PDB file of all heavy atoms in Angstrom:
ATOM      1  N   GLY A 154      58.588 -26.795 137.881  1.00  0.00           N
ATOM      2  CA  GLY A 154      58.010 -28.140 138.142  1.00  0.00           C
ATOM      3  C   GLY A 154      58.634 -29.186 137.254  1.00  0.00           C
ATOM      4  O   GLY A 154      58.942 -30.306 137.626  1.00  0.00           O
ATOM      5  N   ILE A 155      58.781 -28.838 135.977  1.00  0.00           N
ATOM      6  CA  ILE A 155      59.430 -29.765 134.943  1.00  0.00           C
ATOM      7  C   ILE A 155      60.825 -30.069 135.378  1.00  0.00           C
ATOM      8  O   ILE A 155      61.337 -31.234 135.327  1.00  0.00           O
ATOM      9  CB  ILE A 155      59.321 -29.212 133.570  1.00  0.00           C
ATOM     10  CG1 ILE A 155      57.867 -29.091 133.100  1.00  0.00           C
ATOM     11  CG2 ILE A 155      60.117 -29.984 132.594  1.00  0.00           C
ATOM     12  CD1 ILE A 155      57.703 -28.324 131.838  1.00  0.00           C
ATOM     13  N   GLY A 156      61.509 -28.967 135.782  1.00  0.00           N
ATOM     14  CA  GLY A 156      62.963 -29.187 136.181  1.00  0.00           C
ATOM     15  C   GLY A 156      63.091 -30.075 137.395  1.00  0.00           C
ATOM     16  O   GLY A 156      64.031 -30.905 137.439  1.00  0.00           O
ATOM     17  N   ILE A 157      62.161 -30.008 138.349  1.00  0.00           N
ATOM     18  CA  ILE A 157      62.177 -30.882 139.521  1.00  0.00           C
ATOM     19  C   ILE A 157      61.988 -32.373 139.076  1.00  0.00           C
ATOM     20  O   ILE A 157      62.670 -33.188 139.546  1.00  0.00           O
ATOM     21  CB  ILE A 157      61.107 -30.412 140.524  1.00  0.00           C
ATOM     22  CG1 ILE A 157      61.526 -29.078 141.138  1.00  0.00           C
ATOM     23  CG2 ILE A 157      60.967 -31.482 141.668  1.00  0.00           C
ATOM     24  CD1 ILE A 157      60.436 -28.496 142.005  1.00  0.00           C
ATOM     25  N   LEU A 158      61.082 -32.560 138.169  1.00  0.00           N
ATOM     26  CA  LEU A 158      60.820 -33.916 137.695  1.00  0.00           C
ATOM     27  C   LEU A 158      62.001 -34.515 136.975  1.00  0.00           C
ATOM     28  O   LEU A 158      62.322 -35.654 137.155  1.00  0.00           O
ATOM     29  CB  LEU A 158      59.600 -33.936 136.724  1.00  0.00           C
ATOM     30  CG  LEU A 158      58.206 -33.929 137.328  1.00  0.00           C
ATOM     31  CD1 LEU A 158      57.155 -33.881 136.257  1.00  0.00           C
ATOM     32  CD2 LEU A 158      57.975 -35.211 138.199  1.00  0.00           C
ATOM     33  N   TYR A 159      62.645 -33.679 136.173  1.00  0.00           N
ATOM     34  CA  TYR A 159      63.838 -34.114 135.433  1.00  0.00           C
ATOM     35  C   TYR A 159      65.006 -34.394 136.428  1.00  0.00           C
ATOM     36  O   TYR A 159      65.721 -35.380 136.194  1.00  0.00           O
ATOM     37  CB  TYR A 159      64.307 -33.071 134.371  1.00  0.00           C
ATOM     38  CG  TYR A 159      63.545 -33.253 133.055  1.00  0.00           C
ATOM     39  CD1 TYR A 159      62.169 -33.176 132.963  1.00  0.00           C
ATOM     40  CD2 TYR A 159      64.215 -33.545 131.930  1.00  0.00           C
ATOM     41  CE1 TYR A 159      61.468 -33.354 131.828  1.00  0.00           C
ATOM     42  CE2 TYR A 159      63.558 -33.701 130.700  1.00  0.00           C
ATOM     43  CZ  TYR A 159      62.192 -33.585 130.658  1.00  0.00           C
ATOM     44  OH  TYR A 159      61.546 -33.810 129.519  1.00  0.00           O
ATOM     45  N   MET A 160      65.162 -33.584 137.350  1.00  0.00           N
ATOM     46  CA  MET A 160      66.216 -33.865 138.397  1.00  0.00           C
ATOM     47  C   MET A 160      65.958 -35.110 139.185  1.00  0.00           C
ATOM     48  O   MET A 160      66.821 -35.985 139.422  1.00  0.00           O
ATOM     49  CB  MET A 160      66.347 -32.670 139.341  1.00  0.00           C
ATOM     50  CG  MET A 160      66.933 -31.417 138.757  1.00  0.00           C
ATOM     51  SD  MET A 160      68.634 -31.656 138.110  1.00  0.00           S
ATOM     52  CE  MET A 160      69.456 -31.940 139.656  1.00  0.00           C
ATOM     53  N   ALA A 161      64.706 -35.302 139.550  1.00  0.00           N
ATOM     54  CA  ALA A 161      64.286 -36.500 140.241  1.00  0.00           C
ATOM     55  C   ALA A 161      64.622 -37.755 139.394  1.00  0.00           C
ATOM     56  O   ALA A 161      65.130 -38.774 139.896  1.00  0.00           O
ATOM     57  CB  ALA A 161      62.814 -36.506 140.655  1.00  0.00           C
ATOM     58  N   SER A 162      64.259 -37.724 138.127  1.00  0.00           N
ATOM     59  CA  SER A 162      64.470 -38.849 137.198  1.00  0.00           C
ATOM     60  C   SER A 162      65.993 -39.094 137.027  1.00  0.00           C
ATOM     61  O   SER A 162      66.411 -40.245 137.031  1.00  0.00           O
ATOM     62  CB  SER A 162      63.852 -38.550 135.789  1.00  0.00           C
ATOM     63  OG  SER A 162      64.060 -39.593 134.963  1.00  0.00           O
ATOM     64  N   PHE A 163      66.734 -38.003 136.991  1.00  0.00           N
ATOM     65  CA  PHE A 163      68.233 -38.103 136.815  1.00  0.00           C
ATOM     66  C   PHE A 163      68.815 -38.820 138.099  1.00  0.00           C
ATOM     67  O   PHE A 163      69.663 -39.820 137.933  1.00  0.00           O
ATOM     68  CB  PHE A 163      68.811 -36.774 136.699  1.00  0.00           C
ATOM     69  CG  PHE A 163      70.348 -36.700 136.724  1.00  0.00           C
ATOM     70  CD1 PHE A 163      71.046 -37.206 135.666  1.00  0.00           C
ATOM     71  CD2 PHE A 163      71.025 -36.210 137.821  1.00  0.00           C
ATOM     72  CE1 PHE A 163      72.481 -37.152 135.679  1.00  0.00           C
ATOM     73  CE2 PHE A 163      72.422 -36.245 137.916  1.00  0.00           C
ATOM     74  CZ  PHE A 163      73.132 -36.700 136.779  1.00  0.00           C
ATOM     75  N   PHE A 164      68.443 -38.472 139.248  1.00  0.00           N
ATOM     76  CA  PHE A 164      68.984 -39.031 140.506  1.00  0.00           C
ATOM     77  C   PHE A 164      68.524 -40.473 140.668  1.00  0.00           C
ATOM     78  O   PHE A 164      69.256 -41.326 141.149  1.00  0.00           O
ATOM     79  CB  PHE A 164      68.668 -38.215 141.719  1.00  0.00           C
ATOM     80  CG  PHE A 164      69.452 -36.966 141.878  1.00  0.00           C
ATOM     81  CD1 PHE A 164      68.905 -35.683 141.775  1.00  0.00           C
ATOM     82  CD2 PHE A 164      70.855 -37.041 142.072  1.00  0.00           C
ATOM     83  CE1 PHE A 164      69.690 -34.601 141.890  1.00  0.00           C
ATOM     84  CE2 PHE A 164      71.629 -35.943 142.250  1.00  0.00           C
ATOM     85  CZ  PHE A 164      71.096 -34.669 142.124  1.00  0.00           C
ATOM     86  N   MET A 165      67.260 -40.777 140.255  1.00  0.00           N
ATOM     87  CA  MET A 165      66.776 -42.103 140.233  1.00  0.00           C
ATOM     88  C   MET A 165      67.597 -42.981 139.353  1.00  0.00           C
ATOM     89  O   MET A 165      67.990 -44.159 139.802  1.00  0.00           O
ATOM     90  CB  MET A 165      65.346 -42.195 139.806  1.00  0.00           C
ATOM     91  CG  MET A 165      64.314 -41.643 140.830  1.00  0.00           C
ATOM     92  SD  MET A 165      62.602 -41.582 140.150  1.00  0.00           S
ATOM     93  CE  MET A 165      62.342 -43.258 139.739  1.00  0.00           C
ATOM     94  N   SER A 166      67.926 -42.593 138.190  1.00  0.00           N
ATOM     95  CA  SER A 166      68.763 -43.355 137.243  1.00  0.00           C
ATOM     96  C   SER A 166      70.222 -43.518 137.762  1.00  0.00           C
ATOM     97  O   SER A 166      70.854 -44.565 137.606  1.00  0.00           O
ATOM     98  CB  SER A 166      68.860 -42.742 135.874  1.00  0.00           C
ATOM     99  OG  SER A 166      69.415 -41.421 135.919  1.00  0.00           O
ATOM    100  N   MET A 167      70.697 -42.458 138.529  1.00  0.00           N
ATOM    101  CA  MET A 167      72.034 -42.614 139.082  1.00  0.00           C
ATOM    102  C   MET A 167      72.118 -43.675 140.239  1.00  0.00           C
ATOM    103  O   MET A 167      73.181 -44.274 140.394  1.00  0.00           O
ATOM    104  CB  MET A 167      72.470 -41.252 139.707  1.00  0.00           C
ATOM    105  CG  MET A 167      72.987 -40.236 138.658  1.00  0.00           C
ATOM    106  SD  MET A 167      73.740 -38.768 139.467  1.00  0.00           S
ATOM    107  CE  MET A 167      75.127 -39.543 140.277  1.00  0.00           C
ATOM    108  N   PHE A 168      71.080 -43.766 140.921  1.00  0.00           N
ATOM    109  CA  PHE A 168      71.045 -44.773 142.071  1.00  0.00           C
ATOM    110  C   PHE A 168      70.454 -46.110 141.610  1.00  0.00           C
ATOM    111  O   PHE A 168      70.039 -46.878 142.475  1.00  0.00           O
ATOM    112  CB  PHE A 168      70.312 -44.208 143.231  1.00  0.00           C
ATOM    113  CG  PHE A 168      71.013 -43.080 143.919  1.00  0.00           C
ATOM    114  CD1 PHE A 168      70.674 -41.748 143.700  1.00  0.00           C
ATOM    115  CD2 PHE A 168      72.111 -43.332 144.767  1.00  0.00           C
ATOM    116  CE1 PHE A 168      71.326 -40.709 144.323  1.00  0.00           C
ATOM    117  CE2 PHE A 168      72.755 -42.252 145.380  1.00  0.00           C
ATOM    118  CZ  PHE A 168      72.423 -40.990 145.193  1.00  0.00           C
ATOM    119  N   GLY A 169      70.407 -46.367 140.305  1.00  0.00           N
ATOM    120  CA  GLY A 169      70.004 -47.707 139.829  1.00  0.00           C
ATOM    121  C   GLY A 169      68.528 -47.984 139.882  1.00  0.00           C
ATOM    122  O   GLY A 169      68.131 -49.169 139.645  1.00  0.00           O
ATOM    123  N   MET A 170      67.722 -46.965 140.059  1.00  0.00           N
ATOM    124  CA  MET A 170      66.304 -47.163 140.101  1.00  0.00           C
ATOM    125  C   MET A 170      65.614 -46.925 138.700  1.00  0.00           C
ATOM    126  O   MET A 170      64.452 -47.184 138.554  1.00  0.00           O
ATOM    127  CB  MET A 170      65.619 -46.233 141.091  1.00  0.00           C
ATOM    128  CG  MET A 170      66.027 -46.563 142.584  1.00  0.00           C
ATOM    129  SD  MET A 170      65.187 -45.448 143.737  1.00  0.00           S
ATOM    130  CE  MET A 170      66.095 -43.944 143.507  1.00  0.00           C
ATOM    131  N   GLY A 171      66.450 -46.558 137.781  1.00  0.00           N
ATOM    132  CA  GLY A 171      65.937 -46.307 136.385  1.00  0.00           C
ATOM    133  C   GLY A 171      65.152 -44.958 136.384  1.00  0.00           C
ATOM    134  O   GLY A 171      64.769 -44.441 137.377  1.00  0.00           O
ATOM    135  N   GLN A 172      65.089 -44.398 135.138  1.00  0.00           N
ATOM    136  CA  GLN A 172      64.408 -43.148 135.027  1.00  0.00           C
ATOM    137  C   GLN A 172      62.933 -43.258 135.137  1.00  0.00           C
ATOM    138  O   GLN A 172      62.324 -44.359 134.999  1.00  0.00           O
ATOM    139  CB  GLN A 172      64.745 -42.516 133.640  1.00  0.00           C
ATOM    140  CG  GLN A 172      64.252 -43.236 132.467  1.00  0.00           C
ATOM    141  CD  GLN A 172      64.626 -42.545 131.171  1.00  0.00           C
ATOM    142  OE1 GLN A 172      65.045 -41.433 131.126  1.00  0.00           O
ATOM    143  NE2 GLN A 172      64.417 -43.298 130.067  1.00  0.00           N
ATOM    144  N   MET A 173      62.161 -42.135 135.413  1.00  0.00           N
ATOM    145  CA  MET A 173      60.781 -42.152 135.377  1.00  0.00           C
ATOM    146  C   MET A 173      60.202 -42.662 134.039  1.00  0.00           C
ATOM    147  O   MET A 173      60.694 -42.305 132.948  1.00  0.00           O
ATOM    148  CB  MET A 173      60.237 -40.774 135.646  1.00  0.00           C
ATOM    149  CG  MET A 173      60.536 -40.292 137.096  1.00  0.00           C
ATOM    150  SD  MET A 173      59.795 -38.648 137.373  1.00  0.00           S
ATOM    151  CE  MET A 173      60.278 -38.423 139.038  1.00  0.00           C
ATOM    152  N   PRO A 174      59.166 -43.470 134.067  1.00  0.00           N
ATOM    153  CA  PRO A 174      58.593 -44.044 132.774  1.00  0.00           C
ATOM    154  C   PRO A 174      58.213 -42.910 131.840  1.00  0.00           C
ATOM    155  O   PRO A 174      58.347 -43.106 130.592  1.00  0.00           O
ATOM    156  CB  PRO A 174      57.346 -44.776 133.264  1.00  0.00           C
ATOM    157  CG  PRO A 174      57.695 -45.133 134.712  1.00  0.00           C
ATOM    158  CD  PRO A 174      58.546 -44.063 135.232  1.00  0.00           C
ATOM    159  N   ILE A 175      57.708 -41.798 132.311  1.00  0.00           N
ATOM    160  CA  ILE A 175      57.247 -40.748 131.335  1.00  0.00           C
ATOM    161  C   ILE A 175      58.430 -40.105 130.640  1.00  0.00           C
ATOM    162  O   ILE A 175      58.255 -39.389 129.634  1.00  0.00           O
ATOM    163  CB  ILE A 175      56.503 -39.611 132.110  1.00  0.00           C
ATOM    164  CG1 ILE A 175      57.339 -39.022 133.261  1.00  0.00           C
ATOM    165  CG2 ILE A 175      55.115 -40.144 132.568  1.00  0.00           C
ATOM    166  CD1 ILE A 175      56.550 -37.818 133.862  1.00  0.00           C
ATOM    167  N   MET A 176      59.693 -40.348 131.122  1.00  0.00           N
ATOM    168  CA  MET A 176      60.842 -39.763 130.466  1.00  0.00           C
ATOM    169  C   MET A 176      61.384 -40.683 129.362  1.00  0.00           C
ATOM    170  O   MET A 176      62.242 -40.272 128.568  1.00  0.00           O
ATOM    171  CB  MET A 176      61.993 -39.538 131.548  1.00  0.00           C
ATOM    172  CG  MET A 176      61.590 -38.643 132.678  1.00  0.00           C
ATOM    173  SD  MET A 176      61.236 -37.018 132.226  1.00  0.00           S
ATOM    174  CE  MET A 176      60.861 -36.278 133.839  1.00  0.00           C
ATOM    175  N   ASP A 177      60.899 -41.938 129.381  1.00  0.00           N
ATOM    176  CA  ASP A 177      61.401 -42.914 128.427  1.00  0.00           C
ATOM    177  C   ASP A 177      60.887 -42.585 126.996  1.00  0.00           C
ATOM    178  O   ASP A 177      59.658 -42.466 126.768  1.00  0.00           O
ATOM    179  CB  ASP A 177      60.932 -44.318 128.832  1.00  0.00           C
ATOM    180  CG  ASP A 177      61.566 -45.387 128.003  1.00  0.00           C
ATOM    181  OD1 ASP A 177      62.257 -45.108 126.998  1.00  0.00           O
ATOM    182  OD2 ASP A 177      61.411 -46.547 128.367  1.00  0.00           O
ATOM    183  N   VAL A 178      61.802 -42.420 126.065  1.00  0.00           N
ATOM    184  CA  VAL A 178      61.369 -41.986 124.702  1.00  0.00           C
ATOM    185  C   VAL A 178      60.663 -43.174 123.950  1.00  0.00           C
ATOM    186  O   VAL A 178      60.067 -42.949 122.900  1.00  0.00           O
ATOM    187  CB  VAL A 178      62.616 -41.570 123.861  1.00  0.00           C
ATOM    188  CG1 VAL A 178      63.185 -40.335 124.432  1.00  0.00           C
ATOM    189  CG2 VAL A 178      63.675 -42.670 123.777  1.00  0.00           C
ATOM    190  N   THR A 179      60.719 -44.373 124.521  1.00  0.00           N
ATOM    191  CA  THR A 179      59.997 -45.510 123.982  1.00  0.00           C
ATOM    192  C   THR A 179      58.672 -45.685 124.594  1.00  0.00           C
ATOM    193  O   THR A 179      57.881 -46.670 124.209  1.00  0.00           O
ATOM    194  CB  THR A 179      60.826 -46.834 124.025  1.00  0.00           C
ATOM    195  OG1 THR A 179      61.064 -47.149 125.399  1.00  0.00           O
ATOM    196  CG2 THR A 179      62.194 -46.653 123.299  1.00  0.00           C
ATOM    197  N   ASN A 180      58.342 -44.920 125.601  1.00  0.00           N
ATOM    198  CA  ASN A 180      57.050 -45.042 126.275  1.00  0.00           C
ATOM    199  C   ASN A 180      56.001 -44.312 125.405  1.00  0.00           C
ATOM    200  O   ASN A 180      55.954 -43.099 125.403  1.00  0.00           O
ATOM    201  CB  ASN A 180      57.141 -44.390 127.654  1.00  0.00           C
ATOM    202  CG  ASN A 180      55.854 -44.555 128.456  1.00  0.00           C
ATOM    203  OD1 ASN A 180      54.816 -44.945 128.013  1.00  0.00           O
ATOM    204  ND2 ASN A 180      55.922 -44.271 129.773  1.00  0.00           N
ATOM    205  N   SER A 181      55.148 -45.064 124.788  1.00  0.00           N
ATOM    206  CA  SER A 181      54.123 -44.416 123.870  1.00  0.00           C
ATOM    207  C   SER A 181      52.740 -44.324 124.488  1.00  0.00           C
ATOM    208  O   SER A 181      51.790 -44.170 123.743  1.00  0.00           O
ATOM    209  CB  SER A 181      54.054 -45.332 122.618  1.00  0.00           C
ATOM    210  OG  SER A 181      53.685 -46.674 122.932  1.00  0.00           O
ATOM    211  N   SER A 182      52.689 -44.442 125.828  1.00  0.00           N
ATOM    212  CA  SER A 182      51.388 -44.266 126.490  1.00  0.00           C
ATOM    213  C   SER A 182      50.856 -42.842 126.286  1.00  0.00           C
ATOM    214  O   SER A 182      51.631 -41.958 126.087  1.00  0.00           O
ATOM    215  CB  SER A 182      51.524 -44.582 127.951  1.00  0.00           C
ATOM    216  OG  SER A 182      52.247 -43.596 128.617  1.00  0.00           O
ATOM    217  N   LEU A 183      49.545 -42.665 126.305  1.00  0.00           N
ATOM    218  CA  LEU A 183      48.942 -41.397 126.100  1.00  0.00           C
ATOM    219  C   LEU A 183      49.379 -40.409 127.231  1.00  0.00           C
ATOM    220  O   LEU A 183      49.558 -39.220 126.977  1.00  0.00           O
ATOM    221  CB  LEU A 183      47.431 -41.493 126.086  1.00  0.00           C
ATOM    222  CG  LEU A 183      46.850 -42.173 124.838  1.00  0.00           C
ATOM    223  CD1 LEU A 183      45.303 -42.290 124.955  1.00  0.00           C
ATOM    224  CD2 LEU A 183      47.206 -41.491 123.591  1.00  0.00           C
ATOM    225  N   PHE A 184      49.565 -40.891 128.385  1.00  0.00           N
ATOM    226  CA  PHE A 184      50.043 -40.030 129.507  1.00  0.00           C
ATOM    227  C   PHE A 184      51.481 -39.513 129.191  1.00  0.00           C
ATOM    228  O   PHE A 184      51.725 -38.326 129.454  1.00  0.00           O
ATOM    229  CB  PHE A 184      50.018 -40.802 130.792  1.00  0.00           C
ATOM    230  CG  PHE A 184      50.434 -39.962 132.005  1.00  0.00           C
ATOM    231  CD1 PHE A 184      49.611 -38.934 132.509  1.00  0.00           C
ATOM    232  CD2 PHE A 184      51.657 -40.180 132.607  1.00  0.00           C
ATOM    233  CE1 PHE A 184      50.028 -38.214 133.651  1.00  0.00           C
ATOM    234  CE2 PHE A 184      52.089 -39.392 133.651  1.00  0.00           C
ATOM    235  CZ  PHE A 184      51.196 -38.466 134.142  1.00  0.00           C
ATOM    236  N   SER A 185      52.331 -40.394 128.783  1.00  0.00           N
ATOM    237  CA  SER A 185      53.708 -39.989 128.495  1.00  0.00           C
ATOM    238  C   SER A 185      53.814 -39.083 127.344  1.00  0.00           C
ATOM    239  O   SER A 185      54.506 -38.038 127.409  1.00  0.00           O
ATOM    240  CB  SER A 185      54.540 -41.260 128.164  1.00  0.00           C
ATOM    241  OG  SER A 185      55.888 -40.937 127.878  1.00  0.00           O
ATOM    242  N   ILE A 186      52.990 -39.257 126.275  1.00  0.00           N
ATOM    243  CA  ILE A 186      52.950 -38.384 125.146  1.00  0.00           C
ATOM    244  C   ILE A 186      52.381 -37.055 125.577  1.00  0.00           C
ATOM    245  O   ILE A 186      52.859 -35.930 125.197  1.00  0.00           O
ATOM    246  CB  ILE A 186      52.185 -38.978 124.045  1.00  0.00           C
ATOM    247  CG1 ILE A 186      52.866 -40.113 123.451  1.00  0.00           C
ATOM    248  CG2 ILE A 186      51.862 -37.946 122.932  1.00  0.00           C
ATOM    249  CD1 ILE A 186      52.069 -40.962 122.419  1.00  0.00           C
ATOM    250  N   GLY A 187      51.337 -37.095 126.402  1.00  0.00           N
ATOM    251  CA  GLY A 187      50.728 -35.821 126.925  1.00  0.00           C
ATOM    252  C   GLY A 187      51.744 -35.029 127.728  1.00  0.00           C
ATOM    253  O   GLY A 187      51.777 -33.756 127.628  1.00  0.00           O
TER     254      GLY A 187
END
Side-chain angles (χ1 to χ4, degrees):
I155 292 168
I157 292 171
L158 279 176
Y159 272 61
M160 289 299 293
S162 180
F163 173 74
F164 283 113
M165 285 173 62
S166 62
M167 278 191 66
F168 290 103
M170 293 181 285
Q172 63 179 348
M173 291 182 180
I175 56 174
M176 304 295 181
D177 189 351
V178 296
T179 62
N180 184 349
S181 59
S182 68
L183 290 178
F184 181 74
S185 179
I186 291 174

